[in-house]
Amino acid sequence: MKNKKQILVVDDEEDIRDVVRVSLEIFGGWQIITANSGFEGLQIAKTTALDAILMDISMPDMDGFKLCAALQADPQMQQVPVIVLTAKVLPSDRLQFAALEIAGVITKPFDPVTIWRQVAEILGWAV
Amino acid sequence: MGIPTYLYWLWLVPTFDGSASDDWPIGPVLVGWSVAVFLAGVGGGRISRLGSRLLPGGVGVSQLSLEGKRQQAEEALKQSEILNRAILAALPDLIVRMHRDGTYLDIKPATSFPTDLPNFRVGENIQNVLPPKPAQQYLTAAATALKTGEIQIFEFPLMVRDQQIWQEARVLPLNPDEVLMIVRDLTQRKQAEEALKEREAMLRAIGDNLPKGYIYQRVYEPGKGFYYAYVSAGIERLLGLKPEAVLTNAQVTRTVGFAEDLAIADRAVQESLKNLSPIELQMRNCTAQGEIQWSSIRSLPRRLADGRTVWDGVEVDITDLKRIEAALRASEEQFRRAFDHAPIGISLVSPTGRFLKVNACYCELLGYSEAELLKLHFQDITDPADREADLEGLRQLLTGEIQSFQMRKRYITKQGAIVPVYLNAALVRDENGQPLYSVGHIQDIRDRLKVDRMKDEFISVVSHELRTPLTSIRGALGILETGVFDHKPEQARHMLHIAINNSNRLVRLVDDILCLERLASGKVDLVMEPCQVDELMQQAIDSVQTLADEAGITLSMTPLMTQLWAAPDAIVQTLTNLLGNAIKFSMMGGTVWLVAEWIESGAAQEDSAQWVRFTVKDQGRGIPTDKLEIVFEQFQQVDVSDSRKKGGTGLGLTICKRIVQQHGGQIWAESRLGEGSEFYFTLPVVRTSNKKP
């Protein structure tokens, strides 16, 4: 497949990384890179051309907020659309997301078959 | 003939002094009780020349022995007659010369009262002038006077011009057939006497009918001391003292008083005696039943001309008033204490918004002193964003649209901090419905908001923790369901493994959340019973032995052979949890120790009871110092991924903490990074025997 979308998935939960990777690769047809922490994700983002980043919020050491801030601080990385993939679903949690420069939020648990569509719709990609 | 027409005056002047002058104000010439007697010529109007002045102390008759001097004597007599007639005319009394048969012989009208009775004229008989009764009294008196030669005095009422008047008659013998009647009007004196009697009766009635009190007149007489001149009957009802006893001996009133009150009363009396100041006292008396009776005593002093000092006073029972006052004071004190010490801020605010009264909590909350707040309006300390709503609430209260209102608002403290409060305001009106002030209760809701935030955070964390394994389960099963791995058994098994692991994790999490919730809410009481410490330890060791074996960890136990008063399952759960953590964070080949030992009360334990301390020690990676305390909080693992890697839920240590606390013990951790950790908890020992095992 030519010009395959390359998406970085950052989550400290290995099982969730696996499920997301399988879902987006199989059903979305995209190329998935995974990172198990904010630090690792930032390193990958700095060195890899990415079409989008799906990141968890609750992660040790560098959580999603810090990772977003780090991405925004870099002119190149700030161009990459970010989707938060989170289990934080309360209104108070959502208020915190409003301050982030992100393209959208997908809540956990998600449908592994349709999550790719959600991603595409948020990012305005043709499905 | 140069002699007065028919009258000569003979003055009879008594020898006694003028002590009765008030009764007989007949002028300066007649000192005291004087009687002017006029003598008429006996028979056919002939004149007996007996009239002359009788000097005090006796009767004198001028004698004319020499013809040459007759003229001189007659002249002197004439002058004397003129003088006497003038004096007689000036007398206020009615003077009548009357024959013993009742015929008026001469009349000198009174100047002080009317004498225009029908037929009242010379030559008329008294029985035709006066009503029968007084007429008979006169005739009887005349007969008696003529018989005895003594003056007869009597009083009688008479109707003149449809008005009753009182007169006093004095009847003196003049000669064997005539009497002189001197009649004086007593009406005013009688009226005064009647009025006085009426007043005395009224005073007595008032004094005797005072429901709980009496009136009195107390006297101080130099040289004689204090005594009571009058005491009304009520004193017996009030003090149990008979009026007669008090009148006889004033000191008996002191027998029912209290020494300290009597001392105060004595000083007040002395002050009043000195300055004629009114006396106002409240005193206690001891009733016959041994109860305290309160009296209010008020009296006004006045000094008499003879040097006596008289207090007219009243003593009334005010025991009920005192009781009500005491109840009122107690009520006010209760209100004041409730107001001052209320755990919420209370303010009274005028209809214009000015503070009228604030309690200590209000002041403390806002950082102002009471004096400072009383100079402010509530708008001054209200956050601008809340002023409009607050003013609208007050407006509706004042107009009566609402009886009270509640709102969340923010105050600005003197230090500039914003304090969120919950305000409950109501209006108090006077009996006419006019607004007096509003009562505002403010409750500092910072803690509540903090709790709300913590609750939100907890729910958020729990939601997150539940959704995380659920996400993996849902995702793995969802993928398998599509059949994409039907021909890829390795990937399919991996997905199943994800689903099963996370299902187990979810079960543990739900169990721990429920356990924690039950402990926190107190819905499940820990059932305490005597437990053998060594048995509890062994049960815990047994529970984790398999886990330790799988991890290649050696378990070492130093048991304590004693009894505890504890909930055995909960203690085993605590030990198992700590041992499980120690095993999970230990390297293969390491050792985990479980030790129980006696400790004496130390700094950590405030009382002198004995304690058993449990220690779970490992050789794991250790815990950073800054996390030694928060590891006992919910979902506060040192590493978030521990819950996944180590199979924990993030609630184990929180559950341990709750269990230990509910036993009255303490739990804490010590650690050295890279060397290992020690988790301790203590439990108080409730001895079942005096012998230490």
Side-chain angles (χ1 to χ4, degrees):
Chain A
M1 189 177 287
K2 219 176 173 183
N3 295 327
K4 221 177 195 180
K5 299 285 188 187
Q6 188 156 263
I7 299 174
L8 171 65
V9 174
V10 186
D11 200 309
D12 63 316
E13 288 279 340
E14 183 181 4
D15 293 345
I16 292 178
R17 284 200 308 272
D18 284 353
V19 169
V20 174
R21 182 179 54 75
V22 170
S23 297
L24 297 184
E25 282 180 350
I26 292 177
F27 304 111
W30 301 323
Q31 185 174 338
I32 304 302
I33 305 170
T34 61
N36 63 9
S37 70
F39 289 120
E40 188 183 6
L42 185 61
Q43 286 302 115
I44 294 171
K46 283 178 180 174
T47 57
T48 310
L50 298 170
D51 294 295
I53 300 173
L54 262 69
M55 68 166 73
D56 187 18
I57 286 293
S58 299
M59 294 183 290
D61 300 327
M62 177 179 270
D63 62 14
F65 296 106
K66 290 176 181 172
L67 178 55
C68 265
L71 293 172
Q72 285 299 314
D74 185 288
Q76 270 199 321
M77 290 190 291
Q78 69 181 206
Q79 302 302 318
V80 181
V82 173
I83 294 174
V84 166
L85 184 61
T86 180
K88 288 188 169 292
V89 297
L90 297 182
S92 55
D93 299 326
R94 291 301 183 97
L95 284 174
Q96 293 181 304
F97 302 154
L100 297 174
E101 293 287 338
I102 57 176
V105 177
I106 296 174
T107 56
K108 298 176 182 175
F110 51 84
D111 183 341
V113 180
T114 60
I115 185 174
W116 70 276
R117 288 183 183 274
Q118 285 179 271
V119 172
E121 285 173 7
I122 289 170
L123 299 178
W125 294 347
V127 292
Chain B
M1 52 188 171
I3 294 179
T5 53
Y6 56 92
L7 289 174
Y8 282 96
W9 290 101
L10 178 66
W11 287 6
L12 300 177
V13 181
T15 54
F16 50 80
D17 64 20
S19 62
S21 60
D22 287 347
D23 291 340
W24 293 88
I26 58 176
V29 177
L30 302 178
V31 178
W33 190 131
S34 300
V35 177
V37 178
F38 63 99
L39 303 175
V42 177
R46 292 181 62 186
I47 302 169
S48 296
R49 294 179 183 172
L50 300 174
S52 186
R53 174 171 299 190
L54 186 65
L55 294 176
V59 176
V61 177
S62 62
Q63 296 180 345
L64 304 174
S65 58
L66 299 174
E67 186 61 28
K69 293 181 180 177
R70 189 181 62 82
Q71 289 293 333
Q72 187 181 354
E74 283 185 348
E75 181 60 27
L77 192 59
K78 181 181 178 184
Q79 292 303 317
S80 176
E81 181 194 350
I82 292 169
L83 177 61
N84 287 341
R85 291 187 64 179
I87 292 170
L88 184 65
L91 286 175
D93 305 324
L94 168 66
I95 303 176
V96 177
R97 187 163 61 90
M98 186 181 77
H99 189 269
R100 64 187 309 153
D101 66 2
T103 304
Y104 292 139
L105 302 175
D106 279 306
I107 295 174
K108 198 293 286 180
T111 60
S112 60
F113 60 95
T115 55
D116 51 348
L117 292 167
N119 304 323
F120 185 51
R121 55 181 173 263
V122 172
E124 192 64 71
N125 191 281
I126 193 170
Q127 294 181 89
N128 298 325
V129 176
L130 296 179
K133 187 175 180 182
Q136 188 56 47
Q137 280 181 293
Y138 268 107
L139 290 172
T140 302
T144 305
L146 290 171
K147 182 179 178 182
T148 63
E150 293 178 354
I151 187 169
Q152 301 297 306
I153 303 172
F154 63 94
E155 296 175 0
F156 64 94
L158 197 61
M159 293 301 294
V160 177
R161 297 176 188 170
D162 297 329
Q163 287 190 340
Q164 186 183 55
I165 62 172
W166 277 87
Q167 294 187 334
E168 181 198 75
R170 291 169 182 254
V171 180
L172 301 87
L174 279 180
N175 57 46
D177 293 319
E178 297 176 4
V179 293
L180 188 68
M181 304 189 307
I182 304 169
V183 183
R184 170 162 293 189
D185 183 62
L186 296 180
T187 306
Q188 286 189 341
R189 198 187 80 187
K190 281 287 184 184
Q191 288 175 342
E193 286 176 358
E194 287 299 317
L196 188 60
K197 284 181 182 173
E198 180 66 24
R199 281 200 301 275
E200 285 182 349
M202 181 180 72
L203 194 61
R204 189 176 299 277
I206 292 172
D208 291 349
N209 289 294
L210 275 178
K212 283 189 175 179
Y214 67 96
I215 59 176
Y216 64 88
Q217 188 178 71
R218 194 176 185 217
V219 181
Y220 173 75
E221 186 173 333
K224 189 174 178 183
F226 290 96
Y227 60 89
Y228 283 92
Y230 174 73
V231 178
S232 68
I235 194 171
E236 188 165 2
R237 289 193 297 274
L238 185 66
L239 304 181
L241 301 173
K242 292 191 176 300
E244 303 78 30
V246 177
L247 291 172
T248 305
N249 179 11
Q251 293 296 312
V252 297
T253 58
R254 302 179 73 85
T255 60
V256 295
F258 285 75
E260 54 267 43
D261 293 358
L262 291 172
I264 293 170
D266 289 343
R267 285 196 294 273
V269 170
Q270 290 301 326
E271 179 71 17
S272 179
L273 182 62
K274 182 180 176 185
N275 302 323
L276 290 182
S277 52
I279 295 176
E280 292 190 15
L281 290 170
Q282 291 189 350
M283 293 182 66
R284 292 166 297 169
N285 297 307
C286 186
T287 67
Q289 291 74 35
E291 296 173 349
I292 292 178
Q293 173 265 322
W294 277 91
S295 281
S296 170
I297 300 171
R298 298 166 69 92
S299 66
L300 284 173
R302 53 193 165 89
R303 193 96 72 204
L304 302 185
D306 60 5
R308 289 180 299 160
T309 305
V310 173
W311 287 268
D312 301 304
V314 59
E315 177 172 347
V316 292
D317 186 2
I318 57 168
T319 307
D320 288 345
L321 182 64
K322 281 284 182 184
R323 197 175 293 127
I324 292 168
E325 282 180 354
L328 185 62
R329 276 198 303 275
S331 174
E332 287 176 344
E333 180 64 13
Q334 279 182 337
F335 170 77
R336 189 187 64 74
R337 286 186 181 177
F339 185 89
D340 289 347
H341 302 297
I344 60 173
I346 306 176
S347 66
L348 306 184
V349 175
S350 76
T352 62
R354 181 177 288 277
F355 287 107
L356 300 174
K357 191 172 174 62
V358 290
N359 71 349
C361 183
Y362 202 99
C363 295
E364 187 180 345
L365 185 61
L366 294 166
Y368 287 97
S369 68
E370 182 180 5
E372 288 171 332
L373 278 172
L374 296 187
K375 294 175 184 171
L376 298 175
H377 287 70
F378 76 83
Q379 300 97 314
D380 298 330
I381 57 170
T382 297
D383 188 289
D386 295 327
R387 276 182 201 157
E388 191 176 335
D390 206 353
L391 285 169
E392 175 61 14
L394 180 62
R395 187 194 67 75
Q396 292 185 6
L397 280 181
L398 292 173
T399 58
E401 296 171 49
I402 56 175
Q403 300 301 312
S404 64
F405 75 93
Q406 298 76 35
M407 67 177 288
R408 268 175 66 167
K409 64 178 289 189
R410 286 153 291 186
Y411 278 124
I412 303 171
T413 68
K414 185 179 179 182
Q415 294 72 31
I418 292 179
V419 179
V421 300
Y422 187 76
L423 168 68
N424 193 328
L427 191 69
V428 177
R429 296 177 183 273
D430 64 15
E431 63 271 21
N432 299 317
Q434 294 301 308
L436 286 176
Y437 51 81
S438 65
V439 182
H441 293 171
I442 59 168
Q443 200 169 355
D444 182 358
I445 57 172
R446 282 178 294 190
D447 287 346
R448 188 197 300 177
L449 293 179
K450 185 179 176 185
V451 169
D452 287 347
R453 277 196 303 275
M454 290 172 65
K455 193 173 169 186
D456 285 347
E457 287 169 7
F458 176 72
I459 292 171
S460 173
V461 169
V462 169
S463 168
H464 179 268
E465 295 301 310
L466 289 171
R467 281 171 179 270
T468 298
L470 202 56
T471 299
S472 297
I473 297 167
R474 172 73 178 86
L477 294 178
I479 290 169
L480 285 174
E481 187 189 26
T482 62
V484 295
F485 291 145
D486 283 354
H487 303 292
K488 297 178 179 175
E490 284 300 319
Q491 281 107 326
R493 269 197 297 274
H494 180 59
M495 286 297 120
L496 278 174
H497 182 72
I498 288 174
I500 290 170
N501 278 352
N502 282 279
S503 295
N504 293 334
R505 178 179 165 187
L506 198 55
V507 169
R508 289 195 303 272
L509 191 58
V510 170
D511 285 346
D512 280 359
I513 288 171
L514 291 176
C515 176
L516 193 60
E517 199 279 332
R518 284 198 298 268
L519 284 170
S521 65
K523 286 176 183 171
V524 175
D525 288 332
L526 297 179
V527 180
M528 305 288 187
E529 58 186 73
C531 310
Q532 278 298 129
V533 172
D534 53 313
E535 290 179 7
L536 298 178
M537 296 170 76
Q538 190 57 55
Q539 285 182 46
I541 290 288
D542 292 345
S543 296
V544 298
Q545 190 61 61
T546 304
L547 182 66
D549 292 343
E550 288 174 356
I553 305 297
T554 301
L555 296 176
S556 169
M557 184 176 80
T558 307
L560 184 65
M561 307 297 285
T562 188
Q563 271 196 343
L564 274 179
W565 188 259
D569 292 346
I571 299 304
V572 171
Q573 182 181 358
T574 302
L575 289 170
T576 303
N577 211 319
L578 295 177
L579 287 168
N581 283 348
I583 292 167
K584 283 185 277 186
F585 289 99
S586 292
M587 303 294 287
M588 182 176 283
T591 300
V592 168
W593 291 268
L594 172 59
V595 178
E597 58 194 327
W598 286 101
I599 60 164
E600 298 296 332
S601 60
Q605 315 294 346
E606 291 180 355
D607 55 43
S608 59
Q610 286 193 306
W611 302 77
V612 169
R613 183 176 69 189
F614 294 88
T615 306
V616 176
K617 180 180 176 183
D618 67 54
Q619 296 172 305
R621 69 190 189 196
I623 302 169
T625 304
D626 62 337
K627 300 210 171 183
L628 282 174
E629 288 189 11
I630 66 165
V631 291
F632 293 100
E633 303 303 321
Q634 299 161 134
F635 305 114
Q636 294 292 341
Q637 299 99 324
V638 174
D639 186 335
V640 175
S641 61
D642 285 346
S643 62
R644 168 179 40 79
K645 292 175 185 171
K646 309 295 184 185
T649 62
L651 294 173
L653 288 177
T654 308
I655 291 170
C656 292
K657 183 180 177 182
R658 288 275 164 81
I659 290 172
V660 172
Q661 284 178 336
Q662 290 198 19
H663 279 79
Q666 292 184 332
I667 186 168
W668 70 97
E670 295 174 2
S671 184
R672 291 165 302 284
L673 277 176
E675 295 183 20
S677 305
E678 296 94 39
F679 281 78
Y680 303 96
F681 70 91
T682 57
L683 295 177
V685 176
V686 178
R687 289 176 181 275
T688 53
S689 70
N690 292 330
K691 189 176 179 182
K692 193 170 175 179

